[in-house]
Every structure is written in structure tokens, then in C-alpha cells.
Amino acid sequence: MFIACAAMAGANLKQETAFEAGRHAYEASDYVRAIQALQTAAANDQQNGEVQLLLAKSYLELQEHDPAIKSAERAVAIDGRNSVYHEWLGRAYGEKADHAGWFSAISLAKKTRKEFETAVQLDGKNYSARQALIEFDCSAPGLVGGGEDKALPQIRQLAELDAAEGHYAAGNCRRQKKDFATADAEFTKALESDPKSAELIYDIGDYALKHNQPERMLAVADTGERVAPADPRAKFYRGVALVLEKKNPEEAERLLDDYAKKAPMRSGYPRPAAAHAWLGRLFEDQNRIEDAAKELETALKLDPKNKMAQETLKRLKKG
């Protein structure tokens, strides 16, 4: 009996160690190593849905859509009542749909909506699943089950549960329809309604960046720092806002440099290359041409498709 208990304890420790190693590698943006550790954890405990969920997330970061779907499907098979598992299966289907041919994309899009809807039905307070369902309905055609008429009741229900989430959902829906004036107003209300989600806050930051709105980026940074003090994204958006406003260049440099060094390579986070590109823009404004070129070249090494870095470096070379 003692030997059996000891063996079981050893197996549990090994499983916990593999899972923790995978989680730590994921947090460090080392998704290949995360997958290796999590595959070991999955082999040791084939009924652990959390392992499969983190595997799915890791595969998605590497844009490996088929194994991401398989892992998410396993998670759902292990616990079909788990709202988060259905949400991430929907996200995996959606990512593959975005990269698939037209015919396959239709089938995948339908599966995407079904999983988001199931996630919401299982847990009405899974706000990220509700947001995903609303965004799908606002952006997808009726052919695959979308339609703004389906989104509006969900937006109203969400607003009753959480004002900030409701305003964000309304703004995001109008963003999909290119109604930016209404989106602006709703996003302002979202930031003023005590939002709890860092992802919501910083998606508004991404919107503000694309629409050249430094004041909104500063509001995003202020709100984000209150909600998630350890999240590095506040530094990025505050730094960019200062560059656009041409204020406090020393602080802008410090913030962007710190973000470039510490930011994870993860969906929802501006890439370090973007921080280097904005440092290049900052140094160009200060006529620090050599420093600007160095930052822009670093940005392009990290992301050869960074248009801002390409255009700024081209301008510097002409100058």
C-alpha cells in the first residue's frame, strides 16, 4: 500500500512539474518549449482539461491551427460543461477560418459561432465569450450565422451585467461597421465605466493607436495601470501618446524602451518591433538620425513587414 501511494504521489508530482513548466514557458513566450512540457503533462494525465486548454493557446500563438483545434476539442471532450473550453475551441476554429479557403471557411465559421454561443449559454458571465460572439455577429454575414440583429440583444444583456463591457461591445460592433464616430463615443463611455478587463482596455488602446488618438491612449494607460498594474501595455500606449503629442521625450524613450525589453510575444500585446519603430519615430523628431536608424533596423529585424519602420527608414535615407 505504501509503495503504491508513493508511486502515485511521484506520478502526481511529475504531472504537476510538467504542467508548471509548460505554464512558465507559455508566460515567457517560449511556446515551443511550452508545448513540449504540456504534451508530457497530457500524457501523464489524459483527463486534464487545463493542460489541453493551455496547449491550444500555445499552438494558436504559433498559428498552428489544426493541433490547436485538436487540443481544444479534447478539452471540451473532457468537460463539455466548461464555458472557457468552448470559447477557446471557437477561437481556434475562427483562427483557422481566417486562413482557410472560401468553402472551408464557411464550415469553420459556423462552428466558431456555435462554440461561442455554447460558451455563453453555459456561463452568462463569461464576458470574453460574449464579446467574441457579439463581434462575430457584427462582422460575419448571415451565410455563416452572423448578423447585427443577433448581436444587439446580446449587447443589451451584457450592458445589464456590466456597463463597461456593454459600451465596449457596442463600440466594437460599430467599429466593424466603420461607424467610427459612434465607436469613439462608446469606447469613451467604456473607459469611464470602471472596466475590469485589461484585454478590453488595451483593445481600445489599439483602436486609439490606429486612429491617431493620443488623448485616448493616455486614458487607456491610466485605466490599465489601475486595473492591472503589472501589465506592460500601459507603458507602450503612454509612450506612443507622448511621441504623438511631442511631449516629455525622455519619458517616452524610457517607457518604449522598457516595453520593448519586457513585452511578451503574445496575441493582444503590441509587438516589441512596434516599440522599436516608435522609438525610431521619436529619435527622428529629435534629429537623432543614427539612433533612429538603429531602432528602425531593429524593428525590421523583428518584423520585416512593419510598415511604419519601413516608411520611416525610407524617409531617413532620402533625407
Side-chain angles (χ1 to χ4, degrees), residues 278-297:
W278 279 100
L279 281 167
R281 169 83 171 269
L282 172 65
F283 294 153
E284 179 192 23
D285 290 343
Q286 296 176 300
N287 203 34
R288 294 166 56 183
I289 304 305
E290 290 185 6
D291 290 337
K294 181 179 178 181
E295 292 295 337
L296 296 166
E297 288 167 358

Side-chain angles (χ1 to χ4, degrees), residues 10-124:
N12 289 338
L13 179 61
K14 184 178 179 182
Q15 156 65 19
E16 182 181 0
T17 301
F19 179 69
E20 287 301 306
R23 185 175 63 81
H24 290 147
Y26 177 87
E27 293 299 329
S29 305
D30 188 346
Y31 303 113
V32 172
R33 188 160 59 90
I35 288 168
Q36 292 172 344
L38 292 167
Q39 286 175 336
T40 298
N44 292 335
D45 184 358
Q46 297 181 13
Q47 295 301 308
N48 191 322
E50 292 301 300
V51 171
Q52 296 298 336
L53 175 63
L54 195 53
L55 265 171
K57 291 180 178 181
S58 299
Y59 281 124
L60 284 175
E61 292 295 339
L62 296 176
Q63 297 189 27
E64 296 184 15
H65 304 123
D66 287 335
I69 288 172
K70 288 180 181 178
S71 293
E73 286 176 339
R74 290 192 189 106
V76 168
I78 290 168
D79 183 2
R81 302 293 299 173
N82 188 304
S83 173
V84 174
Y85 295 171
H86 283 281
E87 174 193 349
W88 279 92
L89 178 54
R91 293 184 185 278
Y93 284 142
E95 285 292 323
K96 185 173 181 180
D98 288 342
H99 295 82
W102 182 80
F103 185 76
S104 297
I106 291 176
S107 174
L108 288 164
K110 289 179 179 179
K111 289 181 178 180
T112 299
R113 189 187 189 283
K114 180 182 177 182
E115 293 302 325
F116 288 157
E117 186 175 40
T118 300
V120 172
Q121 290 171 348
L122 288 170
D123 181 2

